[in-house]
Amino acid sequence: MNYENLDQILNRALKQIDDLKNDAPMSDLIDIKNRYLAKKSELMSILATLGSLDPKQRKNVGQKVNDVKRQIVDAIDTKQKIIEKHALNQKLVNEKIDISLPGKNYISGYTNPFFIIKKEITNIFLNMGYEVVEGPEVESDHNNFELLNIPKDHPARDMQDSFWFDPNTLLRTHTSAVQAHAMQEANGKPLRIICPGKVYRRDNDDATHSHQFAQIEGLLIDKNINMGHLKATLELFLRRLFGQDRQIRLRSSFFPFTEPSVEVDISCANCHGKGCPMCKGSGYIEILGGGMVHPNVLKMNGYDPDVYSGFAFGLGIERIAILKYGIDDIRRIYTNDVRFLHQFKKSD
């Protein structure tokens, strides 16, 4: 082995590295690296023969080989950085973005007032300790009517003209059916729930009515519950929803599943109870219905009416939205007109 060839190896390697163009593929540099630094390369073969030399010569040759190797490695590292930098600059040039072009504007959507009100009502009752319970929209006659003290041929059924699949199955006409399910599952234990969801009634579609709308009904059953608890609950709820200055009043009414039953009115936001065209001069606007759970309903759903009592109430989500935001037509809530929804950006 001619150890004087080390300088020739070094010069040849450095020249080949230097001759590589800056836009050369990285594979060309890797070929040079393998040619001079691989295990079977000429330089590494010299290292393999050091064991046959006398100690003094071995030291000198070993140092020379390591020095040549270091210089080649440094040159390769330097050229690699140059090639990578050049490749990056070319990529930046090719992918250049003309920032003088106008950007694309995307109009953000806004939450429908229906969902704003639903969320707000739900949060109020969750903070009052109620649990949210949902149920099927296709119901049996038994759950939708009979367990709620509305037997077959009862006149109250005329108020809820229905969509029937067969004589015993229909689209639910109120979320009270969910209350029946919940009472059955509670096995006579205290209950505090709200039941939001869609309901269906064969009604005319006009400015104030729709064949499909949504309710949130509430139910509380425990010992020693009375009408005072219902009034206090609804008063707290409506003031949180509409403002602390609002007043409520209860008017006697009839619902087959509550006794006594009441219509609940809230003082008019326009005239503050003085009377105006909006409230038809009464100072109040009807907003929901409720009452004490009928003993028959308690008994049919597993409760002893001599031990337990309770109250129930129900409200239409769309009606609350119409009253709170002054919406003139219920159908606006269903059309998803962006111009209409844009008004509720702050509410959202």
Side-chain angles (χ1 to χ4, degrees):
M1 178 68 69
N2 186 0
Y3 299 113
E4 295 178 357
N5 288 341
L6 288 170
D7 288 330
Q8 297 177 12
I9 295 172
L10 175 61
N11 292 333
R12 189 166 63 249
L14 293 180
K15 185 176 186 309
Q16 291 178 5
I17 294 170
D18 187 60
D19 287 346
L20 269 183
K21 294 182 179 180
N22 293 344
D23 60 352
M26 192 64 68
S27 59
D28 290 354
L29 185 61
I30 294 174
D31 289 341
I32 295 174
K33 181 178 181 181
N34 292 335
R35 192 179 307 149
Y36 291 99
L37 300 178
K39 188 174 182 181
K40 294 183 179 181
S41 66
E42 186 178 1
L43 183 62
M44 295 298 102
S45 297
I46 295 175
L47 276 178
T49 64
L50 293 181
S52 62
L53 302 177
D54 61 74
K56 184 176 180 180
Q57 191 179 17
R58 185 188 307 142
K59 178 180 179 182
N60 292 334
V61 174
Q63 288 178 348
K64 181 67 173 176
V65 171
N66 286 330
D67 183 57
V68 170
K69 179 182 177 183
R70 179 186 56 77
Q71 291 188 62
I72 294 174
V73 170
D74 289 346
I76 290 174
D77 289 343
T78 300
K79 178 60 72 171
Q80 179 178 341
K81 292 177 182 177
I82 293 172
I83 292 175
E84 289 176 344
K85 184 177 180 181
H86 183 272
L88 177 60
N89 289 335
Q90 284 299 114
K91 186 176 181 181
L92 292 175
V93 170
N94 295 334
E95 297 180 0
K96 184 179 179 181
I97 299 174
D98 185 356
I99 61 174
S100 64
L101 290 173
K104 293 181 180 180
N105 293 324
Y106 295 96
I107 300 175
S108 299
Y110 306 102
T111 304
N112 191 295
F114 173 92
F115 295 104
I116 296 174
I117 290 296
K118 180 181 177 182
K119 181 178 180 181
E120 191 171 355
I121 293 173
T122 300
N123 286 338
I124 290 173
F125 281 105
L126 285 175
N127 290 330
M128 293 166 65
Y130 284 72
E131 178 184 357
V132 177
V133 177
E134 297 182 343
E137 294 180 18
V138 176
E139 269 293 359
S140 67
D141 179 280
H142 184 67
N143 286 323
N144 193 79
F145 290 123
E146 293 181 23
L147 286 179
L148 298 169
N149 202 37
I150 312 175
K152 295 185 187 302
D153 300 322
H154 192 286
R157 294 198 181 202
D158 294 338
M159 301 164 55
Q160 301 185 17
D161 212 357
S162 313
F163 293 97
W164 293 86
F165 294 98
D166 58 53
N168 294 306
T169 312
L170 72 160
L171 289 173
R172 68 184 181 190
T173 60
H174 47 196
T175 56
S176 303
V178 182
Q179 297 181 6
H181 286 292
M183 285 187 283
Q184 299 275 333
E185 294 173 4
N187 293 319
K189 296 179 181 178
L191 200 59
R192 186 182 300 188
I193 60 171
I194 58 170
C195 311
K198 291 185 240 179
V199 298
Y200 307 85
R201 298 181 189 177
R202 191 162 60 84
D203 206 342
N204 294 324
D205 287 342
D206 56 32
T208 58
H209 297 87
S210 172
H211 68 279
Q212 173 190 302
F213 57 99
Q215 291 181 329
I216 292 183
E217 298 198 17
L219 173 69
L220 186 147
I221 299 176
D222 209 332
K223 296 177 180 178
N224 302 317
I225 300 299
N226 57 50
M227 184 66 79
H229 295 121
L230 172 62
K231 183 176 185 296
T233 299
L234 295 179
E235 195 168 55
L236 177 61
F237 158 63
L238 292 172
R239 284 180 175 174
R240 286 185 178 179
L241 187 64
F242 287 99
Q244 293 299 318
D245 60 334
R246 306 300 287 274
Q247 303 296 320
I248 73 167
R249 72 179 184 185
L250 307 183
R251 291 181 291 108
S252 179
S253 185
F254 167 79
F255 302 110
F257 31 79
T258 54
E259 179 62 38
S261 303
V262 293
E263 296 285 358
V264 182
D265 302 333
I266 189 170
S267 57
C268 177
N270 187 52
C271 65
H272 303 287
K274 296 179 182 178
C276 68
M278 180 180 292
C279 60
K280 300 178 181 178
S282 69
Y284 284 83
I285 297 174
E286 180 184 325
I287 195 164
L288 60 91
M292 300 302 295
V293 180
H294 198 290
N296 289 347
V297 174
L298 291 173
K299 190 180 300 183
M300 285 188 290
N301 289 281
Y303 288 88
D304 183 351
D306 293 328
V307 177
Y308 286 95
S309 57
F311 62 74
F313 56 87
L315 54 91
I317 297 176
E318 292 91 341
R319 178 167 178 77
I320 298 295
I322 287 172
L323 292 175
K324 184 165 184 178
Y325 297 121
I327 300 171
D328 62 343
D329 191 326
I330 190 173
R331 291 168 293 190
R332 296 189 187 278
I333 296 175
Y334 307 133
T335 56
N336 284 327
D337 187 328
V338 174
R339 296 168 299 178
F340 170 70
L341 298 178
H342 182 77
Q343 302 173 71
F344 301 94
K345 178 178 180 181
K346 291 184 179 180
S347 300
D348 190 9

